[in-house]
Amino acid sequence: MRDIREHPSVEADVIVVGGGFAGITAARELKRSGRSVALLEARDRLGGRALSAPIGDGKIVELGAEFHGKAQRIIAGTARELGIDSYRVHDEGDRLIDWDGELVRWRGLMPRIGPATLADFGQAALRLERMARRVPLDAPWRAPGADRWDSETMASWARRNLRTRGGRRLMQVMIEAGLAATPADVSLLHVLYYSQGAGGFRAMTSVTGGTLERRFVGGSQNIAERLAESIRAETYHGATVRKVRHTGTHVRVIGEGFEAVGRRVVLAIPVPLAGRIDYDPPLPAHRDQLTQRLTFGSAIKYLALYDEPFWRKDGLTGMVISPDGPVRAVMDSCPPDGTPGVLAVFVTGPAAREVSRLAPGERRETVLRALTRFFGPRAAWPYEVIEQNWMAEPYTRGCYHSYAPPGLYTSYGPGLREPIGRIHWAGAETVTAEYGAMGGAIDSGRRVALEVIGRDSGETPARTDAAPENRFDDVFRRMDEADKHD
């Protein structure tokens, strides 16, 4: 990657903003089509919400995107093409659920927390899965029941369709653990849409047969790095975009100390962050309103490292679900050979917002108290605890993905992907498959590349044989002349 400070004037046919899976894929595909590209990334790394940290001996832990299952075919296929293997998450033994002050061990599809609760939750989950099958992955707002489903929250649906307190509590923890939002935050249509792309509602938080079944050898971020190998020379880090100036012929992308000019721009960043950019002229009202309504989930991820995975000797998988306390879920996150022992701890939803207000030492102690309750005294003594607060990450501002409140899809849905002049949109919220997932982001990058190629097919690509400063000055001259006629 290049430092944007050393290249303050950049020109390419297409400027791509955002070095996550979507942006990398878009830039890669556009370059393969013969376009010149410039990929701008604010961070000093690639991968977006995929972030792997080394822990020695060539091993890593995942601070961000980590798991995939059978329904996530796009990311699995991409990894295979790149020669990156995956391995099964440890799922042998008992799981735990912290239920009404008691730790309950369980196996199978559902925890043993009373027949009435299980029957109640089971019928609701099956009903959700039947409804989700009617939701088109490329346009959830076109579902037969879209107007009705998008008019209520998941919480209001649960109140009407679950008769037991236990069933409603189990539904709440499923949503908070899977979407990092409360049922009251999110539209029923969004839950149906998301679960359809995940392979079913129950698959959202399942290991074997679900979205948590496998991890990538070497880490998810390694996939992004490998994808970007062919565009290293066109990638610039430290490039925080503040303004997009767009005319009828060109776009000018502006940040502190740099400007990039192109025929088109692809914004491959989360929709809420795209709303923070200044556009000249301003975006149409429908797009601006969309960015104000789509919001990120709240999540802090912790990795607790131990000399060995002692919970396995106790007959536990390492998976915990907890509707109470600050921790909503725990997963075994060990490297392929099982050492060191690693527990991935997820603090999500309202709990994440509360924990984030604590001092660093208090946050650490809060997490360790929860782990000690789940796994006993040995859990209190990890040799390292790593925290990743995605809400505080300046170029993300939340995780795992954006979620839609009631009314968003049916009022603004088409605007998620609809180009505005020479501005095109990509990212995990603009997908036609696997919403919010790594593979969905890749799919959006491919889609937007085809979109740009189609829109641009009647134009002559910018010359690349002239001196950079001459091309750059000429483009600015033409843009300024266009401005005079506006």
Side-chain angles (χ1 to χ4, degrees):
M1 290 196 296
R2 301 181 179 188
D3 189 331
I4 194 66
R5 293 172 298 182
E6 299 174 0
H7 304 273
S9 298
V10 177
E11 182 192 350
D13 290 326
V14 185
I15 311 300
V16 180
V17 180
F21 286 104
I24 292 169
T25 302
R28 188 171 180 254
E29 296 299 316
L30 286 165
K31 182 179 179 180
R32 289 173 62 182
S33 76
R35 271 73 177 169
S36 59
V37 297
L39 177 61
L40 308 182
E41 169 54 48
R43 300 179 175 95
D44 60 0
R45 65 172 181 85
L46 295 174
R49 282 165 269 178
L51 176 57
S52 306
I55 56 173
D57 296 327
K59 300 176 182 180
I60 60 94
V61 291
E62 298 278 35
L63 303 181
E66 181 169 6
F67 305 103
H68 70 286
K70 294 177 181 177
Q72 287 72 54
R73 297 184 180 90
I74 299 172
I75 190 64
T78 301
R80 282 195 300 271
E81 291 173 8
L82 297 170
I84 296 173
D85 293 329
S86 67
Y87 65 99
R88 284 185 174 272
V89 172
H90 179 72
D91 197 30
E92 298 176 6
D94 293 334
R95 302 162 193 150
L96 294 174
I97 184 167
D98 187 7
W99 193 256
D100 287 340
E102 180 183 357
L103 287 173
V104 179
R105 297 172 74 124
W106 59 284
R107 297 192 183 198
L109 290 176
M110 295 293 299
R112 298 173 181 174
I113 48 177
T117 292
L118 293 184
D120 192 26
F121 180 85
Q123 63 83 23
L126 289 172
R127 185 176 299 179
L128 289 169
E129 291 185 354
R130 286 197 300 269
M131 293 160 61
R133 294 190 194 105
R134 300 167 60 190
V135 178
L137 290 177
D138 61 341
W141 48 90
R142 294 178 184 163
D147 288 339
R148 182 173 73 257
W149 296 338
D150 204 32
S151 68
E152 67 174 322
T153 66
M154 186 64 208
S156 64
W157 186 89
R159 282 195 298 271
R160 289 189 295 103
N161 290 276
L162 286 123
R163 299 182 178 182
T164 64
R165 171 181 171 272
R168 291 190 292 272
R169 287 184 72 215
L170 199 53
M171 182 65 71
Q172 178 168 338
V173 73
M174 286 280 287
I175 299 299
E176 291 190 6
L179 276 70
T182 70
D185 290 331
V186 63
S187 152
L188 169 63
L189 180 58
H190 180 80
V191 174
L192 300 175
Y193 175 40
Y194 177 76
S195 64
Q196 171 80 324
F201 182 77
R202 289 168 295 179
M204 286 167 43
T205 54
S206 298
V207 181
T208 300
T211 60
L212 309 175
E213 185 172 68
R214 304 189 75 85
R215 304 173 71 231
F216 292 108
V217 176
S220 301
Q221 190 181 0
N222 186 37
I223 301 175
E225 295 283 354
R226 296 280 292 276
L227 279 172
E229 286 179 355
S230 64
I231 53 169
R232 287 286 174 185
E234 293 86 2
T235 301
Y236 301 85
H237 67 84
T240 304
V241 172
R242 301 299 186 193
K243 185 172 183 177
V244 172
R245 184 179 172 209
H246 51 115
T247 71
T249 58
H250 288 85
V251 294
R252 182 187 296 183
V253 179
I254 303 167
E256 186 175 350
F258 76 90
E259 292 180 317
V261 172
R263 293 182 180 277
R264 297 186 181 276
V265 62
V266 172
L267 292 177
I269 58 177
V271 172
L273 294 189
R276 298 185 178 192
I277 294 174
D278 179 25
Y279 298 89
D280 180 20
L283 296 179
H286 74 273
R287 175 70 198 193
D288 189 61
Q289 290 277 300
L290 167 64
T291 63
Q292 294 179 44
R293 284 163 170 75
L294 201 67
T295 187
F296 259 122
S298 304
I300 310 174
K301 187 174 183 179
Y302 293 88
L303 285 307
L305 279 62
Y306 304 87
D307 291 329
E308 61 176 356
F310 58 85
W311 53 92
R312 295 185 182 183
K313 295 180 180 179
D314 294 338
L316 298 172
T317 66
M319 182 180 186
V320 183
I321 299 173
S322 176
D324 300 314
V327 172
R328 286 294 171 266
V330 183
M331 289 290 299
D332 183 305
S333 193
C334 298
D337 65 358
T339 56
V342 182
L343 290 172
V345 182
F346 300 88
V347 181
T348 58
R353 296 191 284 271
E354 293 177 11
V355 169
S356 68
R357 296 188 180 99
L358 302 176
E362 291 180 284
R363 296 198 297 268
R364 185 180 189 276
E365 289 305 312
T366 297
V367 169
L368 291 181
R369 280 197 299 271
L371 290 178
T372 302
R373 168 168 168 71
F374 300 150
F375 299 107
R378 285 173 293 181
W381 302 102
Y383 67 81
E384 186 175 3
V385 176
I386 305 172
E387 177 188 82
Q388 180 64 30
N389 182 354
W390 285 101
M391 297 180 293
E393 184 75 12
Y395 303 115
T396 304
R397 292 300 181 185
C399 247
Y400 315 123
H401 41 70
S402 300
Y403 64 84
L408 184 135
Y409 285 132
T410 49
S411 297
Y412 303 99
L416 286 166
R417 294 193 296 269
E418 191 175 72
I420 296 174
R422 293 180 175 271
I423 303 174
H424 301 259
W425 314 99
E429 297 84 17
T430 70
V431 303
T432 57
E434 300 180 22
Y435 182 93
M438 294 178 279
I442 290 172
D443 179 68
S444 79
R446 294 170 179 166
R447 171 195 56 78
V448 81
L450 291 173
E451 179 180 280
V452 168
I453 292 167
R455 294 286 181 105
D456 221 21
S457 59
E459 299 183 11
T460 303
R463 291 178 57 201
T464 57
D465 54 346
E469 62 273 14
N470 293 338
R471 300 201 321 275
F472 192 79
D473 291 342
D474 183 57
V475 168
F476 271 77
R477 179 184 58 76
R478 284 181 276 132
M479 290 183 71
D480 290 336
E481 288 177 356
D483 284 347
K484 294 175 183 179
H485 297 287
D486 289 344

